[in-house]
Amino acid sequence: MITTIRKRDGREVPFNIEKIASAIFKAAQGVGGNDYDTSVALAGQVAQALEQTITDHIPTVEELQALVEKTLIESGHAKTSKSYILYRANRTRIREMNTRLMKT
């Protein structure tokens, strides 16, 4: 069973399926969705896939996010997946800008 996730900065934090469900729900809301129960079910599928595919190390945030995208697409939620991907890309840009700012 997955109990921890490795963040981008190397910290290990407790695995929280509610964070996955919340992220999926926010992406779904971005395209007009409003069913939190579906988000919870999809988060469960992501957690199950994570346990099946990553057995030899602590999973990273990136691995988890890739599984969220894959699960959304395979479950027929392509619009939600696109919204999730665009959000991830925007957050990556923000992180990179903050990193550059901190270096100067």
Side-chain angles (χ1 to χ4, degrees):
M1 182 173 164
I2 303 295
T3 57
T4 58
I5 296 289
R6 188 175 316 277
K7 303 279 277 189
R8 286 179 181 83
D9 63 5
R11 288 181 297 137
E12 292 178 14
V13 297
F15 176 73
N16 185 349
I17 196 166
E18 286 298 319
K19 284 188 172 187
I20 300 168
S22 177
I24 292 171
F25 185 62
K26 287 176 185 176
Q29 285 181 311
V31 294
N34 61 0
D35 186 1
Y36 187 76
D37 292 336
T38 299
S39 299
V40 170
L42 289 165
Q45 290 177 23
V46 170
Q48 189 175 31
L50 192 63
E51 288 181 11
Q52 291 173 352
T53 58
I54 299 174
T55 58
D56 61 341
H57 65 278
I58 296 173
T60 64
V61 170
E62 290 85 4
E63 291 170 327
L64 176 62
Q65 290 175 332
L67 278 174
V68 170
E69 291 175 15
K70 182 180 178 194
T71 301
L72 287 171
I73 290 170
E74 289 176 351
S75 299
H77 298 279
K79 288 181 184 178
T80 301
S81 180
K82 183 176 180 179
S83 176
Y84 183 82
I85 291 166
L86 291 173
Y87 175 78
R88 275 184 71 189
N90 187 44
R91 292 296 304 154
T92 299
R93 261 191 308 278
I94 291 169
R95 261 192 316 279
E96 288 172 356
M97 286 173 54
N98 288 339
T99 300
R100 277 187 244 134
L101 242 148
M102 293 300 289
K103 287 181 179 178
T104 58

